[in-house]
Amino acid sequence: DVKVTQSSRYLVKRTGEKVFLECVQDMDHENMFWYRQDPGLGLRLIYFSYDVKMKEKGDIPEGYSVSREKKERFSLILESASTNQTSMYLCASSRPGGNTIYFGEGSWLTVV
Amino acid sequence: SQKIEQNSEALNIQEGKTATLTCNYTNYSPAYLQWYRQDPGRGPVFLLLIRENEKEKRKERLKVTFDTTLKQSLFHITASQPADSATYLCALDKGHNQGGKLIFGQGTELSVKP
């Protein structure tokens, strides 16, 4: 069974803290994605990666960075957390060429 | 600008009836469209994919249509059950050669009453 695992389900961080959200997939997928989901706004793409050490900005990359040192792992980094980054973050992966995206269970981040 | 719209209001139906959810888009030429189910507090789960050259796709009690002229997809759940209650998201690829990046609608919440 395919699996995308997000290491933290619930986090509470202070404004200005550096935050790492980790994601691991066991399907040997080349593509990995980070989305955030907010009420009324749906899922919005933050960053994605087609391969190790490769990254591209999505629709809302400001305030975020990513790291992909290994094929199975894609990390989202909030350099200096702000309250407007309070959200549910979803990691996902897929094979090249599109098709089904497999999501993790999500990480709920609250910035106070 | 590119836009996807789903029924913003929740859909309440009686068990056994057919639920129909709508997804409209503008300024896109997607190669395919997908539907996902999302339960509260969980990540979305893939249900169906339909390609631009397909008019209809079925999977068990689910049926999806895709009209590229109307720029609309309809998602049907026949013989609905309370267990079908969830939020349903439609998603489109950003177009050819966009590497599988998807744009999601806001989702429609479906509630099936016994």
Side-chain angles (χ1 to χ4, degrees), chain A residues 56-102:
Chain A
E56 283 192 31
K57 293 179 181 179
D59 299 315
I60 52 164
E62 295 78 20
Y64 303 95
S65 62
V66 290
S67 172
R68 189 144 181 224
E69 296 295 320
K70 293 184 177 182
K71 188 176 184 180
E72 67 271 18
R73 188 179 297 271
F74 193 35
S75 303
L76 180 69
I77 303 156
L78 287 67
E79 295 290 342
S80 177
S82 63
T83 54
N84 64 10
Q85 292 178 310
T86 292
S87 186
M88 178 175 178
Y89 290 87
L90 287 159
C91 175
S93 71
S94 73
R95 283 188 289 271
N99 297 299
T100 306
I101 287 184
Y102 296 88

Side-chain angles (χ1 to χ4, degrees), chain A residues 9 37 40 48 59 99 105, chain B residues 38 41-42 51 94 101:
Chain A
R9 283 284 276 156
Q37 186 174 29
F48 62 98
D59 299 315
N99 297 299
E105 291 288 18
Chain B
Q38 187 173 24
R42 310 292 293 272
R51 300 192 182 277
K94 282 198 169 190
K101 287 179 280 185

Side-chain angles (χ1 to χ4, degrees), chain A residues 9 31 33 35 37 40-43 45 48 50 59 88 90 98-101 103-105 108, chain B residues 32 34 36 38 41-46 49 51 89 94 98-106:
Chain A
R9 283 284 276 156
N31 296 345
F33 308 84
Y35 288 86
Q37 186 174 29
L41 296 176
L43 276 81
L45 182 63
F48 62 98
Y50 290 143
D59 299 315
M88 178 175 178
L90 287 159
N99 297 299
T100 306
I101 287 184
F103 284 89
E105 291 288 18
W108 291 90
Chain B
Y32 54 85
Q34 302 184 17
Y36 288 78
Q38 187 173 24
R42 310 292 293 272
V45 175
F46 171 79
L49 179 151
R51 300 192 182 277
L89 307 170
K94 282 198 169 190
Q98 289 295 315
K101 287 179 280 185
L102 296 181
I103 301 290
F104 284 83
Q106 294 179 14

Side-chain angles (χ1 to χ4, degrees), chain B residues 76-103:
Chain B
H76 306 272
I77 305 175
T78 58
S80 59
Q81 305 166 0
D84 295 326
S85 298
T87 296
Y88 292 87
L89 307 170
C90 73
L92 296 93
D93 72 300
K94 282 198 169 190
H96 293 281
N97 301 318
Q98 289 295 315
K101 287 179 280 185
L102 296 181
I103 301 290

Side-chain angles (χ1 to χ4, degrees), chain B residues 2 7 14 16 18 48 64 72 82 84 86 92-93 100 106 110 113:
Chain B
Q2 298 172 323
N7 316 53
Q14 207 66 33
T18 296
L48 278 170
V64 173
Q72 181 181 77
D84 295 326
L92 296 93
D93 72 300
Q106 294 179 14
L110 173 66
K113 304 293 184 188

